[in-house]
């Protein structure tokens, strides 16, 4: 009986922790590939055949793709605060995608928070929505 009670308490504790993480969005934003849907409130438009830009937050590291180059950098997250200090990229030049990729890197430097909204990850800067991403 003692083991059954202990197992029930452990199960309830783990369930409460999972619900709390889901409410804050913490479990769903890391280790997920996020595809960029919009930038500055506008749907992302790319030339045909170009891979969609994406981001992945893996621990304290940023991995991603801007449409031409690989993106990398650090991730700082505390609750719903989020920032990407020191974002860098490989150095290929893709004329038809470069303006979009530059805008993505600029946007990442302005992010200071995030929120989850109906399964979408919204990156925020000074309270304004900078980008919307959906999980792959």
């Amino acid at each position: 009986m003692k083991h059954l009670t202990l197992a029930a308490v452990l199960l309830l504790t783990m369930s409460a922790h999972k619900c709390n993480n889901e409410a804050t969005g913490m479990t769903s934003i890391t280790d997920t590939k996020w595809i960029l849907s919009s930038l500055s409130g506008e749907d992302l438009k790319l030339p045909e055949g170009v891979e969609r830009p994406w981001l992945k937050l893996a621990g304290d590291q940023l991995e991603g793709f801007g449409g031409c180059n690989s993106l990398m950098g650090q991730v700082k997250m505390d609750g719903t605060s989020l920032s990407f200090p020191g974002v860098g990229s490989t150095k290929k030049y893709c004329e038809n995608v470069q303006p979009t990729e530059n805008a993505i890197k600029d946007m990442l430097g302005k992010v200071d928070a995030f929120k989850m909204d109906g399964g979408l990850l919204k990156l925020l800067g000074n309270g304004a929505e900078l980008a919307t991403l959906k999980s792959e």
Side-chain angles (χ1 to χ4, degrees):
M1 185 66 174
K2 186 177 188 183
H3 292 286
L4 185 57
T5 303
L6 181 59
V9 169
L10 183 60
L11 180 63
L12 286 172
T13 302
M14 290 174 64
S15 296
H17 179 70
K18 183 175 188 249
C19 290
N20 185 40
N21 282 344
E22 286 173 357
T24 63
M26 294 307 295
T27 57
S28 59
I29 122 170
T30 58
D31 297 320
T32 298
K33 186 174 179 179
W34 293 99
I35 310 298
L36 199 64
S37 300
S38 71
L39 192 59
S40 300
E42 306 224 358
D43 287 343
L44 194 63
K45 296 194 181 358
L46 296 167
E48 191 169 323
V50 173
E51 180 184 351
R52 303 243 353 139
W54 57 270
L55 302 174
K56 183 175 182 182
L57 287 60
D60 65 349
Q61 296 298 305
L62 169 69
E63 302 171 23
F65 178 71
C68 179
N69 289 286
S70 296
L71 303 174
M72 70 282 296
Q74 292 181 314
V75 175
K76 290 191 177 180
M77 189 166 33
D78 183 18
T80 59
S81 294
L82 177 67
S83 63
F84 302 101
V87 173
S89 68
T90 54
K91 300 294 181 192
K92 293 186 286 182
Y93 180 76
C94 301
E95 185 175 347
N96 57 348
V97 182
Q98 206 63 52
T100 301
E101 185 167 281
N102 291 342
I104 292 168
K105 289 193 299 188
D106 289 344
M107 175 272 301
L108 289 171
K110 297 175 184 172
V111 172
D112 60 19
F114 76 94
K115 72 176 179 178
M116 293 299 299
D117 184 11
L120 297 175
L121 171 61
K122 299 198 176 204
L123 301 180
L124 310 172
N126 289 327
E129 183 178 309
L130 302 174
T132 303
L133 300 96
K134 59 183 175 181
S135 64
E136 182 175 65

